[in-house]
Amino acid sequence: MRLEGKIVVVTAATRGIGYAVVEACAKEGATVYMGARNPERARERITALREKGYNVKYVYNDATDDNSYKTMIDSVVENEGRIDVLVNNFGTSNPRKDLGIANTQADEFIRTVTVNLKSVFLSSQVAINHMRRTGGGSIINISSIGGQVPDLSQIGYGTSKGAINYMTKLIAVQEARNNIRCNAVMPGMTATDAVMNNLTDEFQAFFLKHTPIKRMAMPEEIAAAVVYFASDDASFVTGQVMAVAVAGGFGLATPTFGNLNERPDAKGK
């Protein structure tokens, strides 16, 4: 029960990594607020989690409504008296429009970068002001390995995640004196509906070819890293951007790894 008694807020929390984080934190004893735009979907998820004995609640959050970040955090603090952990899980991109620099429309690039950065900045700003008053807290940003390793497409998404990695370190430095820690996890390819529905089988196979642990991550494995950063086990850890550790080693090996590893005579010599 590493998070027993803690108040946790998770954005974009009804599916994928967000939902796994909600369940993992609740399993560790936290009271978890599921930030989501769709109350019906959220309540379905909450009913299932409460049947397991977890303390999970709903709070409205719409990534397209800047004010909803403030109302989300403020309503949680009004109900619970504080917020201990904020998990900024929201992130978006349209792979069909977010391409390379030569072929991506400027408005699509600006939209992707803006909404992804605002989702971290606005919620963190409000949470920090409350955490300062109550003695500290932990902020965990869900980034992406795409924010560290450039690719041939998704310039908006990768740029936004790279900026979130920097913002993570900046918050860590600026707020350490207030006992507020800030860390990030950078998943590689993770077995979520978004990945299965938006990325072709060809792309998935190519990505895994360059992943030493030759499979996708499960959302629960990313959630385990979040729980660590949220817990007192990481009480002296701040400004860390966990990359290859939650990406199955993607980005760790030499560029030749994927091809050589497929050779029948590959023995790691």
Side-chain angles (χ1 to χ4, degrees):
M1 304 294 284
R2 288 180 290 169
L3 302 181
E4 186 171 9
K6 292 186 182 293
I7 308 301
V8 178
V9 177
V10 184
T11 64
T14 61
R15 62 182 67 181
I17 292 173
Y19 183 74
V21 169
V22 169
E23 183 168 12
C25 290
K27 185 178 181 179
E28 291 286 347
T31 296
V32 186
Y33 278 81
M34 180 180 282
R37 181 173 58 181
N38 188 321
E40 290 77 19
R41 183 184 296 132
R43 288 178 182 124
E44 288 177 6
R45 304 291 195 268
I46 289 170
T47 297
L49 292 173
R50 285 181 175 173
E51 288 176 355
K52 296 182 179 182
Y54 300 151
N55 190 10
V56 181
K57 304 178 182 181
Y58 170 71
V59 61
Y60 178 76
N61 177 235
D62 180 356
T64 64
D65 178 2
D66 293 357
N67 190 57
S68 78
Y69 288 103
K70 177 173 172 53
T71 58
M72 173 183 67
I73 303 296
D74 285 349
S75 63
V76 170
V77 174
E78 182 178 351
N79 292 338
E80 306 293 343
R82 69 187 193 281
I83 174 175
D84 299 305
V85 179
L86 170 64
V87 183
N88 289 311
N89 174 63
F90 175 83
T92 187
S93 172
N94 185 341
R96 294 175 179 83
K97 294 183 177 181
D98 189 10
L99 307 170
I101 189 167
N103 298 312
T104 301
Q105 296 296 317
D107 59 349
E108 180 66 21
F109 173 80
I110 293 168
R111 184 198 68 80
T112 302
V113 171
T114 299
V115 71
N116 285 347
L117 289 181
K118 285 199 299 186
S119 72
V120 174
F121 174 82
L122 293 174
S123 56
S124 297
Q125 185 179 63
V126 179
I128 284 167
N129 284 322
H130 287 295
M131 289 175 175
R132 285 177 172 182
R133 179 179 55 81
T134 56
S138 175
I139 297 172
I140 302 110
N141 298 322
I142 306 300
S143 180
S144 168
I145 195 69
Q148 177 170 294
V149 182
D151 205 342
L152 293 177
S153 64
Q154 291 196 293
I155 184 172
Y157 184 77
T159 298
S160 69
K161 292 300 185 178
I164 286 169
N165 295 340
Y166 175 79
M167 196 187 308
T168 296
K169 298 176 182 180
L170 183 145
I171 293 172
V173 169
Q174 293 185 352
E175 294 301 320
R177 60 185 176 180
N178 296 310
N179 196 34
I180 298 171
R181 298 181 295 109
C182 187
N183 297 283
V185 296
M186 295 174 55
M189 187 174 289
T190 305
T192 64
D193 290 342
V195 167
M196 300 303 187
N197 295 335
N198 292 300
L199 300 180
T200 66
D201 292 343
E202 181 182 19
F203 181 86
Q204 293 178 35
F206 181 78
F207 193 99
L208 295 179
K209 175 181 177 180
H210 295 277
T211 303
I213 300 179
K214 298 182 70 64
R215 64 173 177 83
M216 297 186 194
M218 298 305 295
E220 294 77 12
E221 293 174 306
I222 308 304
V226 173
V227 168
Y228 166 70
F229 282 133
S231 74
D232 290 341
D233 290 344
S235 60
F236 202 61
V237 179
T238 194
Q240 294 302 300
V241 180
M242 186 184 287
V244 294
V246 287
F250 182 86
L252 183 64
T254 68
T256 60
F257 167 83
N259 293 328
L260 294 178
N261 194 47
E262 291 186 335
R263 288 171 46 175
D265 61 341
K267 298 180 180 179
K269 291 184 178 179

